[in-house]
Amino acid sequence: MNPIVCALDTQDLNEAISLANALRDKVGMIKLGLEFFAAHGPSGVREIAKCNIPIFLDLKLHDIPNTVAKTVEAIKALGVEILTLHISGGTRMLKEALSVVKNTKMKLIGVTVLTSMSDEDLGELGMTRETKSQVILLAKLAEKVGMHGIVCSALEAQEVRKECGKDFKIITPGIRVGPSHDDQKRTATPKEAVNSGADYIVIGRPITKNSSPANSAELILKSLI
Ligand code: C5P
């Protein structure tokens, strides 16, 4: 299994299609996020699906249970592999969403703490635990309610793996191969992330902004062996 999930954070549909085609055999999944969805909606997702690559739809849903469940219902028709929700939406929100995907192959993955956030950022929001313990708390809640896995940084993956079952999927963004971290704060290399127990590593700009995205993905894959 290829653990690389490439994040196509763009509003340009043609660029997204050409990246998806170029990366089809080099990565395991393509991640489409809010930026792409705001610009192109469900029809944009269907266009990318035509490139024959599994889709990770990163909408990070967070709303009242009924609104989230209805949204998951609408997304279900798109046939995406993975959809994300913020675990901080709470047990009832997560359970109602899960009831919608029962008996389908769509997986619901919970977002713990964004990898762009530091202890200081959490403190400002009144969350006084350190980031790692907040991530573990949310991961355990997600597992308890039956979510298929979580998103966390590679710095917390090892601890999450210890606390949660072996089939619970761990997905880690904030992956960096060089000195540039962009806006990410809790970062790791692809190898570090996989060694810490990540099942999938989400990589955006280090692949998409490379002069050859396909080469970059291939090098990252080789670095994992
Ligand atoms: O370009 P870069 O590799 O930083 O892209 C990371 C991707 O992972 C972005 O699409 C971002 O929205 C997403 N993500 C994240 N941190 C999370 C969850 C998702 O960076 N906790």
Side-chain angles (χ1 to χ4, degrees):
M1 181 202 77
N2 184 329
I4 302 175
V5 177
C6 183
L8 300 189
D9 292 318
T10 174
Q11 292 172 37
D12 182 332
L13 183 59
N14 289 330
E15 185 193 352
I17 291 173
S18 79
L19 277 166
N21 281 323
L23 294 168
R24 185 173 34 228
D25 303 322
K26 314 282 181 197
V27 303
M29 264 189 276
I30 288 294
K31 184 172 88 69
L32 299 173
L34 277 174
E35 183 180 349
F36 180 87
F37 201 72
H40 303 290
S43 65
V45 176
R46 286 194 199 93
E47 283 303 312
I48 302 297
K50 285 185 195 157
C51 302
N52 271 329
I53 183 152
I55 294 178
F56 179 129
L57 191 55
D58 191 16
L59 298 186
K60 298 190 180 72
L61 303 178
H62 188 176
D63 209 315
I64 60 169
N66 182 58
T67 302
V68 168
K70 293 273 162 48
T71 306
V72 175
E73 186 76 55
I75 298 294
K76 203 166 73 169
L78 294 175
V80 300
E81 195 86 6
I82 286 178
L83 174 69
T84 55
L85 291 79
H86 270 289
I87 301 166
S88 49
T91 298
R92 279 190 305 116
M93 185 199 87
L94 300 173
K95 281 193 170 163
E96 287 201 25
L98 282 165
S99 70
V100 175
V101 299
K102 217 169 142 190
N103 304 323
T104 74
K105 70 174 187 67
M106 186 164 125
K107 292 189 174 58
L108 295 187
I109 297 289
V111 176
T112 56
V113 178
L114 297 173
T115 43
S116 54
M117 305 278 281
S118 63
D119 284 348
E120 203 185 351
D121 299 321
L122 286 188
E124 211 175 57
L125 299 174
M127 296 181 200
T128 48
R129 290 166 176 271
E130 59 161 31
T131 310
K132 196 181 265 184
S133 94
Q134 182 68 13
V135 169
I136 304 297
L137 179 139
L138 292 170
K140 284 165 84 171
L141 174 65
E143 189 182 37
K144 193 171 120 202
V145 303
M147 295 286 284
H148 301 100
I150 54 128
V151 182
C152 65
S153 92
L155 308 184
E156 296 105 31
Q158 208 168 3
E159 205 83 17
V160 173
R161 186 48 81 212
K162 258 193 250 156
E163 298 283 340
C164 300
K166 67 173 177 37
D167 294 329
F168 193 63
K169 300 286 177 227
I170 299 178
I171 302 177
T172 60
I175 305 296
R176 287 296 177 267
V177 283
S180 163
H181 287 199
D182 304 307
D183 50 355
Q184 298 287 15
K185 292 201 177 143
R186 301 186 342 270
T187 63
T189 66
K191 182 93 176 156
E192 283 166 346
V194 168
N195 287 346
S196 320
D199 296 290
Y200 296 100
I201 51 175
V202 176
I203 312 176
R205 289 161 288 183
I207 293 177
T208 58
K209 301 293 175 215
N210 191 285
S211 55
S212 169
N215 274 352
S216 168
E218 207 167 301
L219 283 177
I220 291 171
L221 193 57
K222 281 196 185 131
S223 78
L224 297 176
I225 299 164

